[in-house]
Amino acid sequence: MTESVYERMSLEEAQEAAKDLQTKILKWLDDYEHVVGPKVKEYIEHHMSTNSLSPFGQFYIMYKIHKGIGENGRWPTRPVCSDVTSIPHALGNL
């Protein structure tokens, strides 16, 4: 982990940050409902509520099987962070 780029948070800090993000998005929706419309607001609120049980992106590794095994005897990998269960996921689906 590159300390100058990433910061490791405790679970409590991460949960507080997720709650803060959800609060900010809800305020934004209230302020701009006249622009986004009630259906979009309802869609985002529904998905944020559903995702609040597991509000974080899911991190996993994919093997680059097309590259073959490297000189070190290992398959090269690619890190992936999916946001399908995250708080802001619904914003990306519009």
Side-chain angles (χ1 to χ4, degrees), residues 9-85:
M9 303 171 92
S10 70
L11 178 59
E12 293 78 20
E13 290 171 321
Q15 288 171 332
E16 187 63 34
K19 197 179 302 180
D20 184 49
L21 177 60
Q22 186 169 8
T23 299
K24 288 177 180 177
I25 292 171
L26 288 171
K27 181 181 179 334
W28 182 87
L29 285 171
D30 285 340
D31 291 347
Y32 292 96
E33 180 179 6
H34 65 281
V35 176
V36 298
K39 294 272 190 201
V40 170
K41 181 181 179 193
E42 181 182 339
Y43 174 83
I44 294 171
E45 287 174 338
H46 168 75
H47 285 281
M48 281 199 318
S49 175
T50 301
N51 291 349
S52 65
L53 297 174
S54 176
F56 310 114
Q58 305 299 313
F59 179 82
Y60 58 95
I61 299 291
M62 290 184 62
Y63 288 103
K64 298 180 184 179
I65 58 173
H66 63 283
K67 298 274 186 177
I69 295 176
E71 291 181 13
N72 62 2
R74 298 181 179 173
W75 291 95
T77 59
R78 175 185 322 273
V80 177
C81 187
S82 170
D83 80 334
V84 295
T85 62

